[in-house]
Amino acid sequence: MEQRAEMLTKDQREEGRDRDSFSMEIESKSQNEEFARVVVAVFMSRMNPTLEEVEDVKTAVSEAVTNAVIHGYQENGGIIFLKAQIEDRELTVSVADHGIGIADVTKAMEPMYTTDTTGERSGMGFSFMEAFMDQVSVQSKEGEGTVVTMKKQIGR
């Protein structure tokens, strides 16, 4: 299991680019969902969030990573790209994959909609992301992948 975090160079920090951010790649495996949510929780801890804010973000990250594993790569493996950034009191988290993409993003974001034919999935992933984060946007192209970007104000 390869997990790599990109470290910022001294020049990048001095120039102010990505001053409070990280990015990493994880394999598209179900067991990495927990790893992703913990990494984001530790990263956001510098913002002094409430326990509720941490749990909200962890839930949203879990849903986004699970979608990439189950739907993006259809459990066939691949790389999930996780990025987080802090700007003032706003946390932005992006979860991206190079999987099959989403044919109709609007439909996919409807509560209870799922492409799962086994009956094991509820179709509530995007609904949970929207409930726990302030803003959720999804960009996707069939055959190229999906990027889910979520934002939350911490410490209102």
Side-chain angles (χ1 to χ4, degrees), residues 71-109:
H71 301 290
Y73 290 116
Q74 299 182 324
E75 300 191 56
N76 292 321
I79 300 295
I80 296 172
F81 304 89
L82 179 65
K83 294 181 181 182
Q85 178 178 350
I86 297 169
E87 186 172 330
D88 297 322
R89 300 301 304 156
E90 184 175 69
L91 173 71
T92 303
V93 180
S94 296
V95 177
D97 65 67
H98 293 298
I100 64 168
I102 302 170
D104 185 342
V105 171
T106 302
K107 186 164 188 71
M109 292 183 75

Side-chain angles (χ1 to χ4, degrees), residues 82-139:
L82 179 65
K83 294 181 181 182
Q85 178 178 350
I86 297 169
E87 186 172 330
D88 297 322
R89 300 301 304 156
E90 184 175 69
L91 173 71
T92 303
V93 180
S94 296
V95 177
D97 65 67
H98 293 298
I100 64 168
I102 302 170
D104 185 342
V105 171
T106 302
K107 186 164 188 71
M109 292 183 75
E110 291 176 4
M112 306 303 289
Y113 176 81
T114 183
T115 57
D116 178 45
T117 57
T118 67
E120 294 179 23
R121 304 285 166 200
S122 68
M124 294 298 292
F126 286 124
S127 295
F128 287 144
M129 288 179 236
E130 290 177 321
F132 292 116
M133 301 296 280
D134 297 329
Q135 181 182 350
V136 176
S137 65
V138 180
Q139 296 176 320

